[in-house]
Amino acid sequence: MTTTAGEPGVRANPTEARDLVERGIAAARGGQRRVAAGLLARALKLDPRDERAWLWLSGVVDDPAQRAFCLQAVLRINPNNPHARRGLAYLERQGTTTARPIADLAPPAAAPEPAADAAPAPPPTPTAQTRDWWIQWRWQRRETSRVRIVLWVLPIVLLAVALILHQSVSVARERALAALAAEQEPAFTVETVLATPLATPTPIPALEAEPLAVVESLTVSYLTAIDAIRADLRTATAAYRQETSQPGGASINHVAATQRLRATVAQALANLGELRAPGVLLPAHEDYRQGLELELAGLDAILNFYSTYDVANANRAALRFQEARAFIERAQAGFQAQRQLLGEMSLMSAYTIR
């Protein structure tokens, strides 16, 4: 490094300054005028007599007075520079006659007149030229390596994100299909999710205040209506399973199938609310109602999962389905026990409706 003439406090670093000039020129050609101005200004602080840096800086500054200052600096270094002369002439025609310095940049000292008997300056040594070429080559190689790494890593990251989303959808669908395969009711189960312990079922009362014939009639009517509701749910569940188990199915088809199953469960819940449950079946009736409500909550969570792909919605759906299965299985046990009781009573009572 050498000290610049006229600026004793600034040390010239031609190698680093040349690197900054090249980067500034590249930024100017790419349309990044502010970036180019900053790089060229830094280069001129290291080497104020860089003719190219002053010339390119005049092309990226916005103020005409600062542009004139840069062109005058070029002429101080090389009075015969044609580009600087044409640029100053153009600015004078535009009415710009004064030059305004750029902050932190001082004009370079004028080129000294060569003495008549002075020997010409020796050309740069091959060692310095080789070193500059080596630095430039290493910088270009480093930038190329960075671009290559980005081009390799970006597709891998995108592929990993796509695989994670696909796996999340597949896991949620497989959980639903596994539960549908095990049960004919629209209840889902997941082994890895622990449900909150449920309360002990309410004992079924053994006696009714109404006459036995009336109780049997109400019970038979209620169980017949329940069988119709359950048959509709089984049909809807089978259709849902067939639509969502097709290989390569689109998510929009799964969403439509889930919405149809939800509509069937909601209708079943509404039909259940219109039934009058006998006293002996009130606990099973309430369990079945809560199970259908949990089914609706689970299906809503599945729809939210398809819209956001948030795994928390899939876990929430699995938990609701497991709780729903517990209530529905307990209700089925109550219905089955009452059917057996009616079968035994029909053998002993002449008042049983046949």
Side-chain angles (χ1 to χ4, degrees), residues 36-97:
L39 293 171
L40 294 170
R42 287 171 55 191
L44 288 171
K45 289 180 182 179
L46 297 175
D47 187 4
R49 294 193 58 80
D50 193 315
E51 183 179 347
R52 283 200 314 160
W54 283 110
L55 190 60
W56 277 94
L57 183 59
S58 69
V60 295
V61 295
D62 298 326
D63 189 359
Q66 292 181 344
R67 190 173 302 162
F69 173 76
C70 296
L71 294 175
Q72 290 176 3
V74 174
L75 293 179
R76 277 175 165 268
I77 300 170
N78 180 12
N80 299 320
N81 189 296
H83 302 288
R85 290 181 176 278
R86 286 197 298 269
L88 284 175
Y90 174 79
L91 291 175
E92 289 177 358
R93 290 195 300 271
Q94 297 295 323
T96 302
T97 58

Side-chain angles (χ1 to χ4, degrees), residues 105-289:
L105 289 181
E113 293 292 335
D117 55 350
T125 61
T127 304
Q129 294 178 356
T130 304
R131 184 174 63 253
D132 294 344
W133 172 85
W134 172 254
I135 294 174
Q136 182 71 14
W137 177 80
R138 290 195 62 182
W139 178 79
Q140 292 179 354
R141 183 178 181 183
R142 184 172 62 252
E143 294 298 324
T144 304
S145 299
R146 291 177 180 175
V147 173
R148 187 181 295 111
I149 290 173
V150 171
L151 293 178
W152 274 100
V153 171
L154 184 59
I156 295 175
V157 172
L158 295 177
L159 180 61
V161 172
L163 289 176
I164 291 173
L165 292 178
H166 177 74
Q167 185 66 20
S168 300
V169 175
S170 300
V171 169
R173 188 172 67 240
E174 290 299 329
R175 287 176 177 176
L177 292 177
L180 289 172
E183 295 292 335
Q184 291 185 342
E185 293 290 339
F188 298 77
T189 179
V190 173
E191 297 296 335
T192 57
V193 180
L194 299 178
T196 305
L198 303 175
T200 303
T202 306
I204 299 176
L207 298 176
E208 287 284 343
E210 297 177 344
L212 182 60
V214 175
V215 172
E216 290 184 1
S217 176
L218 291 175
T219 302
V220 170
S221 299
Y222 177 84
L223 292 176
T224 302
I226 285 292
D227 288 341
I229 293 174
R230 294 176 63 191
D232 292 340
L233 289 174
R234 283 193 295 269
T235 302
T237 300
Y240 173 81
R241 179 183 178 186
Q242 182 178 4
E243 292 175 0
T244 57
S245 61
Q246 297 296 329
S251 297
I252 188 172
N253 297 333
H254 297 168
V255 171
T258 306
Q259 290 174 342
R260 286 191 290 271
L261 179 59
R262 188 194 181 284
T264 303
V265 175
Q267 184 61 44
L269 186 61
N271 295 338
L272 185 67
E274 297 177 356
L275 297 180
R276 176 193 173 190
V280 293
L281 289 175
L282 279 177
H285 175 86
E286 185 63 20
D287 288 340
Y288 200 65
R289 183 187 63 79

